[in-house]
Every structure is written in C-alpha cells, then in structure tokens.
Amino acid sequence: MRRHFNVTGSCDPQHHYMVDIKKRLEDVKNLVDAGAYFTINRARQYGKTTLLRGLAEYLLEDYYVISIDFQMLSQASFRTEEDFVKAFSEELLIQEEGSAFMSDDIRKILQSFAEEQGSQADLRKLFIYLSRWCREAEKPMVLMIDEVDSASNNQVFLDFLAQLRGYYLHRNKRPSFQSVILAGVYDVKNIKQKIRKDEEHKLNSPWNIAADFKVDMSFSKNDIAGMLKDYEADHDTGMDIEEMAGYLFDYTSGYPFLVSRLCKLLDEELAGKEPFAALSSVWTKDGFLEAVKILLSEKNPLFESLMGKLQDYPSLDQKIHSMLFSGEKMVFSPFDRDTDMAIMFGFAKKEGGNVVISNRIFETLLYDYYLTVHEVQREPIFKAAAEDKNQFIMDGHLNMELVLEKYVQCFDDIYGSQNVEFDEEEGRRRFMLYMKPIINGTGNYYVEARTRNLRRMDLVIDYRGEQFVVELKIWRGNAYNERGEQQLSDYLDYFHLKKGYMLSYNFNQSKKIGVQKVMVGDRCLIEAVV
C-alpha cells in the first residue's frame, strides 16, 4: 500500500509519511511515570491526536490506558450528570471490548450506568467505581481525554474536572489514575475564554494541580529531513533532502500541519503538471514555492479557524495587525490576555523575551487578509496598482525597478498635495497595498525577521522563484540613509543577490522624488524616494 502525507486525523507510520516521535513519547512517559496531571494544549492541527494515539500504544507495557475523545460525545451527553455518566460509561465499555483489564463486577456496574433506564447514576457514583477499578487493576491506570475543551461551556464538564482533581489530590487515600492527560487548544488558564460570563463563578480551580507540559511538538529541520528520507527511499526523486527540509522549516517553523500540507501538495498536486512533469522537478525550490502559492490560496480548516478567531476577538485582531505592520517588538507577558491568546491559537510564538508571528506562512496569510478586505481594496493606491499590474510582468519576470518608478508616480499623483506626515507603519502598509494586486495569485511576500524593527523592515518578495528585497523606511537624513544602504548591501549576501531596493518616504519640503541607482561595492541598489 502506497504511503502518503496525511493532514486529516492522526498519523500512522504504516500508512503515512511522518516524523519520528519516539523522543517525544519518551518525554511524555517521564511525566506519566512521575504521576503527573497535565494538559497538552496546542493550536489546531498541531499533532495532539497523533501524539496521544502513539502514547496510548507506547504506555501499554507498563500501564492500562483509557483514551477518550470528547468529540465522540454529543452536546446532549453533557446536558445532565446522568446523561454524561451514561455516555462516558458507554465509551469505557466500547474501548474495553476485547481487553481483559476490567473486572466483571466493574463491567456490570458500568453497563448499568450505560443503560437507557440506568440507576440514576451521578458523577460521584461514577468516580467511586473508577477509584475501585484503579485499586483492583493489575497495572496503574492512565486516563487520556482528547478535545477536552470541545465541551467546556457547561457545568457538567466543570463538575467532571472537579471530581478528577479531587481524586487526584487524594490518591494516597482513594486510589485514582496514575496520570491524567487532557488535550485541547485551550490551556488550563484560558479555558475560561470558552465559559459564558454568567458561568465564570462556577469555575473554581480544577487546573492548579496541572504540571507544565514543555515537550516541543513542532518539527525541527532534522525531523523533516528524516521524513523526507523515508519518502525519498520510496520514490527516488533525487531531491536535495537538506535543502528541501530547510525550505519547509524556514517557511513553517515546524508547524506540523503546514509541513505535511506542503509535502502533500508537492507529492499529489504538482507532480505531472507543467512545468513539473517529473518528481525530480517537483522537489526543488521552484516546486516548493509553487506549493506555497497553492497553500496560501486555499481555504482549509486551519486557516478558517485562524481567521474566525480574529472575528471573535477584536482586541486580538488589533494586536496581530500591530505586530505585522508596525514592526513593534511585542514583549511577552503571561498576564496579557491578547498575547496569551495569540500564542494559544497559533498566531504567534514566544521568541526570547518577545512575541512574534509563528511562521512565514501565517505572516503572508495575515498580510493577504488585511490587505484584501473590502474597505482596503477601495483605496486609490490599490486601485492604481490593479489597473497597471500587467505592465510589470515581462516574459514571466517581475520588473521591480518599474514597480518602484510607477509607485513613486502614483503616490505623488494621489497623495502629493496632501503633505501629511505618517509613520513607518502607514508607509509599509501603502506599499504592500500597491504590491498586492501585482503579485496576487503568482507571488507572495513576507517581512524578514532579521530586519524587523520600528524604523526598518525588509520586505522579501517571491515571484516565480525570484526574490526581491525591498527596504522600507522614513527618510531621516543622508547619514541615516547611507547606513541603510550598507545594511541592505550586507543583507543581500544572505540571499546571494546583487541587486536590492530601497523605498524612502521623505516629508522635507525640498525633497527630490524619483528613482536612482547607487552602487555599494558590487551591489546595485535601486533607491526610490516619495
């Protein structure tokens, strides 16, 4: 059976190409061995379910494992305690079928709980018998619950957590699970975000016993390379594995879904289509950039979820917008609600003491979102670029020098008489707004993290495999500009480019607008002033 890259549900190494998660399983088992109660909270499609399923199998030698997915329970299952106990008992019985670690009397009790006309069972009775089961079992028992936050907005859920907490705290007197593992997007402090305001008073502290879960679930470059080696052994494409792993990591920062989705596009969508007739041409830089373009143009569940969160949380939306366009360093604070949510939902990550956008794919996706909303498309600079866009592409290549020349002209025609100063954020936004209709559907852009700050930001534009680096800034005199020229020239070495571009907004009355060429060593800089 042919293996493939999987982006839906959990992964199975017999059917899917996947990274080696053995080290992660070892790290999680150490927590279980220590008797920890912990949550695995990561953003959507971050490999939580794959990890849990692998863990359930990994623990079998030393533990009995109960693994339940709350998505398998309906909303009605949480309507009352009796409904929940009935549904929970049914799941336990289904999972235990064919196993031998449930005693006959415990099985009979759970069957009575699961019957339509059950014994008016409540959570207290359920946990009494779960405790008895833990005492009688030949091995320590581990409880794992996936998608635990899918049912968080009701009292039965909170009461269930309170019982778990109570038995865990008193496990030296009342036998309980060796370890409790809860998995979901919302972490132990942000579960409150899913609870209605009129129910917040019902949430005591079911979480304050949770151990920190510090296992890194993102894919490293070496993880990705290992997965590609498996693929290469089956397909013999001749790809440069280290190079391809580097591209995948650089654009995704190891976000599991993004890595797997790009690989799936390369393997299944590009192969056999012009200009990628053979797999050898697919697994190249050109093929990779084409896969990135396809990914950014699709409407998948992860992207829909991210965009939905921006609609649901306006202050989070403002925070993300500021991070993208201002270049401002967002200092990490565990007590800042919006920063916490940005990390929890996957938009951002902690890097040093700051918070940054998680990866290049998300950054481009978010720029596209903010620069193509209906209100933005009505702005005159966007309309001007949309009207002129065809002239910038010559034989399939983007003429960036002409883009800057036309931008200077359009900017002067539209805004020249206004003479209103603005900051770097607005300057970057206007140029990116101009670029969007020109490269839309064929190219993409991102802001280079190495140069992001309040006064300088390099925009890297990918168009059909060619890269263009454009420095955007406010004019602050010749000395400042000369330093910028040297910085840009040095930075071009990173991309192995001989030509770079600078765009300065000059608010001096005596300014001279236009485009000129400047040589810095053997580097040619195209400088535009508006």
Side-chain angles (χ1 to χ4, degrees):
M1 180 178 180
R2 182 184 186 275
R3 286 193 292 174
H4 60 276
F5 294 100
N6 182 44
V7 294
T8 56
S10 64
C11 292
D12 180 341
Q14 290 187 337
H15 301 103
H16 308 128
Y17 294 108
M18 57 183 291
V19 305
D20 185 354
I21 62 172
K22 184 177 180 180
K23 179 60 170 62
R24 294 171 177 81
L25 296 177
E26 291 174 352
D27 291 340
V28 180
K29 186 176 184 294
N30 288 336
L31 288 171
V32 173
D33 291 341
Y37 177 125
F38 59 96
T39 62
I40 301 176
N41 67 283
R42 292 294 185 274
R44 292 292 178 202
Q45 295 182 286
Y46 216 94
K48 298 184 294 294
T49 300
T50 296
L51 183 70
L52 285 183
R53 293 193 178 181
L55 182 64
E57 190 171 323
Y58 192 73
L59 295 175
L60 283 181
E61 184 175 342
D62 299 317
Y63 300 98
Y64 288 142
V65 179
I66 299 174
S67 181
I68 292 178
D69 185 344
F70 267 13
Q71 284 192 138
M72 301 299 291
L73 306 184
S74 66
Q75 286 293 320
S77 299
F78 293 88
R79 189 169 46 205
T80 66
E81 280 193 31
E82 186 176 349
D83 290 329
F84 177 79
V85 171
K86 176 182 182 299
F88 192 83
S89 298
E90 287 175 342
E91 286 298 315
L92 291 178
L93 290 168
I94 290 171
Q95 184 175 148
E96 205 272 340
E97 287 179 2
S99 301
F101 67 94
M102 183 185 291
S103 63
D104 289 340
D105 56 344
I106 293 294
R107 185 180 294 105
K108 289 177 181 177
I109 290 165
L110 292 178
Q111 285 173 340
S112 72
F113 288 170
E115 291 174 357
E116 285 293 332
Q117 303 299 323
S119 55
Q120 300 298 312
D122 55 24
L123 284 170
R124 178 177 172 276
K125 290 180 181 178
L126 173 66
F127 274 89
I128 286 174
Y129 289 108
L130 289 178
S131 177
R132 179 178 163 187
W133 188 10
C134 290
R135 182 180 68 244
E136 295 176 353
E138 295 178 358
K139 297 179 183 179
M141 293 179 61
V142 175
L143 175 64
M144 300 193 307
I145 302 178
D146 198 7
E147 302 292 348
V148 71
D149 52 356
S150 64
S152 61
N153 197 11
N154 58 71
Q155 184 59 39
V156 174
F157 170 81
L158 300 179
D159 290 343
F160 172 75
L161 290 181
Q163 290 281 347
L164 269 180
R165 175 181 183 270
Y167 271 83
Y168 181 83
L169 287 174
H170 297 93
R171 62 191 183 281
N172 59 329
K173 297 179 180 179
R174 297 181 180 182
S176 186
F177 299 104
Q178 160 76 12
S179 180
V180 175
I181 307 170
L182 309 177
V185 172
Y186 287 78
D187 64 14
V188 293
K189 47 190 183 305
N190 282 305
I191 197 75
K192 290 182 180 180
Q193 303 293 345
K194 295 202 70 183
I195 299 174
R196 295 190 300 270
K197 290 187 178 297
D198 61 346
E199 290 191 346
E200 284 184 0
H201 67 281
K202 299 175 182 177
L203 184 64
N204 46 24
S205 299
W207 309 109
N208 61 9
I209 57 174
D212 290 335
F213 182 77
K214 297 181 178 180
V215 178
D216 187 0
M217 293 175 60
S218 64
F219 296 166
S220 68
K221 181 181 175 181
N222 287 337
D223 287 333
I224 298 169
M227 178 172 63
L228 294 182
K229 286 177 184 176
D230 283 348
Y231 178 86
E232 184 66 5
D234 290 343
H235 297 277
D236 194 24
T237 70
M239 78 168 85
D240 185 327
I241 291 175
E242 290 300 313
E243 180 182 61
M244 289 304 299
Y247 292 145
L248 286 160
F249 183 78
D250 287 345
Y251 274 72
T252 67
S253 295
Y255 196 110
F257 170 82
L258 298 179
V259 174
S260 296
R261 183 58 184 157
L262 285 169
C263 288
K264 191 175 184 68
L265 290 171
L266 286 161
D267 179 48
E268 300 179 15
E269 296 294 324
L270 293 188
K273 297 180 180 178
E274 291 296 334
F276 307 104
L279 278 176
S280 58
S281 60
V282 169
W283 293 89
T284 60
K285 181 180 180 180
D286 288 347
F288 174 78
L289 292 176
E290 182 67 17
V292 169
K293 185 183 76 173
I294 296 172
L295 174 61
L296 288 168
S297 66
E298 69 181 17
K299 191 176 183 180
N300 59 58
L302 175 60
F303 291 173
E304 287 183 314
S305 176
L306 288 173
M307 297 303 105
K309 294 297 186 293
L310 296 179
Q311 301 293 326
D312 294 340
Y313 301 102
S315 60
L316 173 65
D317 185 19
Q318 294 174 6
K319 173 82 75 174
I320 297 297
H321 187 279
S322 180
M323 290 174 68
L324 286 169
F325 288 97
S326 72
E328 180 181 353
K329 294 288 186 183
M330 295 294 178
V331 178
F332 173 77
S333 170
F335 305 107
D336 181 78
R337 176 176 178 267
D338 292 326
T339 297
D340 210 27
M341 285 197 296
I343 294 173
M344 180 177 65
F345 292 138
F347 289 105
K349 62 183 178 182
K350 183 181 176 185
E351 192 171 87
N354 297 315
V355 178
V356 299
I357 299 300
S358 289
N359 55 69
R360 199 174 290 174
I361 295 293
F362 283 179
E363 183 169 301
T364 305
L365 177 75
L366 290 162
Y367 276 127
D368 285 348
Y369 170 74
Y370 287 119
L371 294 173
T372 54
V373 294
H374 186 63
E375 295 78 8
V376 169
Q377 293 187 42
R378 292 203 297 263
E379 293 193 30
I381 196 73
F382 186 96
K383 291 181 177 178
E387 292 173 359
D388 295 341
K389 63 181 182 180
N390 292 333
Q391 65 182 295
F392 301 120
I393 311 302
M394 301 177 181
D395 298 324
H397 298 277
L398 176 65
N399 188 333
M400 182 56 68
E401 187 171 347
L402 181 60
V403 170
L404 288 181
E405 291 175 359
K406 287 294 184 179
Y407 180 74
V408 171
Q409 179 183 324
C410 289
F411 191 93
D412 189 56
D413 291 343
I414 296 169
Y415 306 110
S417 61
Q418 297 179 15
N419 196 31
V420 177
E421 292 191 23
F422 49 76
D423 58 13
E424 278 86 353
E425 176 179 356
E426 179 60 19
R428 292 159 187 152
R429 191 189 73 87
R430 292 189 188 189
F431 181 70
M432 294 173 79
L433 198 56
Y434 188 78
M435 285 301 309
K436 179 58 186 172
I438 295 173
I439 66 172
N440 189 40
T442 304
N444 57 68
Y445 44 58
Y446 62 91
V447 172
E448 177 49 50
R450 296 168 184 80
T451 64
R452 182 192 292 274
N453 58 53
L454 290 173
R455 291 190 171 183
R456 179 171 178 242
M457 189 183 286
D458 285 344
L459 185 67
V460 181
I461 299 167
D462 281 331
Y463 192 89
R464 292 187 181 275
E466 291 185 274
Q467 292 181 309
F468 306 86
V469 180
V470 185
E471 180 179 334
L472 309 166
K473 59 187 178 60
I474 302 296
W475 177 272
R476 289 185 171 85
N478 286 323
Y480 176 76
N481 192 64
E482 288 174 1
R483 289 197 302 272
E485 290 173 346
Q486 188 59 54
Q487 287 175 328
L488 178 57
S489 176
D490 293 341
Y491 182 61
L492 291 175
D493 289 337
Y494 175 77
F495 281 95
H496 309 292
L497 296 173
K498 293 293 185 181
K499 181 181 288 189
Y501 305 84
M502 296 182 69
L503 173 61
S504 300
Y505 294 91
N506 191 334
F507 300 105
N508 296 337
Q509 293 294 329
S510 59
K511 67 181 178 182
K512 181 180 179 181
I513 67 172
V515 178
Q516 64 175 337
K517 292 183 180 180
V518 175
M519 298 301 298
V520 179
D522 62 345
R523 300 287 190 274
C524 176
L525 306 185
I526 308 300
E527 297 188 10
V529 178
V530 295

